[in-house]
Amino acid sequence: MSMIKTENIHKYFGENHVLNGVDLEIAKSEVVCVVGPSGSGKSTLLRCLNRLERITSGKIYIEGKLIEHRESDKNILKIDPKEVAKMCSELGMVFQRFNLFPHKTALENVTIAQETVKKTSKEIAEKIGLDLLEKVGMAEKANEYPSRLSGGQQQRVAIARALAMEPKIMLFDEPTSALDPELVGGVLEIMKQLALDGMTMMVVTHEMGFAREVGSRLIFMDEGAIIEEGTPDEVFMNPKNDRTRDFFKSIL
């Protein structure tokens, strides 16, 4: 059973055809890295998977269950919103810009979803939150506010916050692009450990070293479509599509 599956996804913003017939399948424990030029639809694809954006047409499955089917920007599938919310909670997402609540401490940022969504008691939520902050190397900063944390530290808290909902799938949208170069390594190390722990991951990234080392599959997108995919070595060393070849020549 696939953890994520899409069939012929299209997404328009007005006249702009951002996703153009995307078919994708991700198996349990796969780490799928998505690369491509800016504006190729990578981030929009992630946002459609967790329904921050609605697709114009196509189908989305999570853990084998059809959670969205739209055609011509209209719903085809009638599904209980609570069931959709439950399935979407299986996806944790980490953004480029950390999106932490500035008026809450690191620990409070991690525990808020457990308390409000999962109705976990404050005591249990704090224990889980501290364990997660320890996991990402931020336990000593539990009571600090985001303004007193570096970008890399904020992104670690954001990862802990996403993990607090116990997702089965993690989506990363260029998680290191807003960081100073010296802060990138620490965040990537946490992501590597998640991969080693068997987390299913889809990572939009410009970090080609990470994609090559950690990714089990590499997807290259351009103009809203997947135009090449394979193992990282296959795509990096022997790209079959001219557009893929030109892209890697320009950045490597």
Side-chain angles (χ1 to χ4, degrees):
M1 181 183 68
S2 302
M3 298 298 284
I4 294 174
K5 183 179 179 181
T6 71
E7 293 181 359
N8 198 30
I9 283 184
H10 290 262
K11 173 65 179 177
Y12 285 85
F13 290 110
E15 297 297 315
N16 190 11
H17 198 178
V18 181
L19 295 178
N20 186 6
V22 175
D23 292 312
L24 173 68
E25 196 161 354
I26 298 178
K28 183 177 175 60
S29 297
E30 261 199 299
V31 179
V32 176
C33 293
V34 186
V35 303
S38 296
S40 59
K42 307 182 300 294
S43 295
T44 299
L45 177 57
L46 288 192
R47 292 176 65 85
C48 286
L49 289 176
N50 69 0
R51 293 169 66 92
L52 291 174
E53 300 284 353
R54 301 299 300 276
I55 59 175
T56 303
S57 64
K59 297 178 180 179
I60 297 176
Y61 298 81
I62 301 296
E63 289 192 277
K65 293 183 179 180
L66 181 62
I67 67 163
E68 185 159 33
H69 180 194
R70 289 168 66 83
E71 300 298 336
S72 302
D73 225 8
K74 295 180 180 178
N75 284 329
I76 302 299
L77 180 69
K78 304 298 182 185
I79 184 168
D80 183 349
K82 291 183 179 179
E83 181 65 19
V84 173
K86 179 182 177 183
M87 295 307 298
C88 287
S89 72
E90 304 287 2
L91 285 76
M93 186 154 178
V94 178
F95 301 86
Q96 299 177 40
R97 300 283 178 179
F98 331 115
N99 293 345
L100 299 178
F101 294 110
H103 60 291
K104 293 187 177 294
T105 65
L107 179 59
E108 289 169 339
N109 267 281
V110 175
T111 60
I112 186 170
Q114 297 175 63
E115 294 181 47
T116 58
V117 178
K118 301 187 81 170
K119 306 302 181 185
T120 306
S121 71
K122 183 178 178 66
E123 182 181 5
I124 293 175
E126 287 188 351
K127 183 181 185 307
I128 294 170
L130 287 170
D131 287 345
L132 288 170
L133 288 173
E134 178 72 35
K135 183 172 185 175
V136 300
M138 288 295 294
E140 76 283 0
K141 301 290 186 180
N143 295 316
E144 296 284 4
Y145 289 91
S147 62
R148 294 180 59 84
L149 301 176
S150 70
Q153 290 171 331
Q154 290 186 58
Q155 194 62 293
R156 292 183 189 203
V157 174
I159 293 172
R161 178 183 58 185
L163 292 173
M165 293 299 289
E166 299 180 312
K168 296 181 181 178
I169 304 159
M170 285 287 286
L171 308 176
F172 291 89
D173 185 10
E174 299 186 11
T176 61
S177 65
L179 301 180
D180 291 334
E182 66 268 23
L183 302 177
V184 168
V187 172
L188 293 181
E189 283 300 321
I190 293 167
M191 294 169 64
K192 289 178 187 178
Q193 189 57 55
L194 289 176
L196 290 172
D197 291 343
M199 176 66 76
T200 305
M201 296 164 60
M202 185 172 178
V203 185
V204 171
T205 184
H206 292 300
E207 300 291 339
M208 299 301 161
F210 174 86
R212 192 164 191 171
E213 179 184 351
V214 182
S216 49
R217 183 154 46 110
L218 187 68
I219 286 174
F220 180 78
M221 290 186 68
D222 191 39
E223 297 185 349
I226 296 173
I227 64 171
E228 187 157 356
E229 62 180 299
T231 67
D233 280 346
E234 288 171 346
V235 179
F236 277 120
M237 299 299 292
N238 189 32
K240 297 178 174 59
N241 187 285
D242 288 342
R243 181 66 185 94
T244 314
R245 195 175 299 115
D246 290 342
F247 176 79
F248 287 134
K249 279 183 181 179
S250 70
I251 65 168
L252 296 178

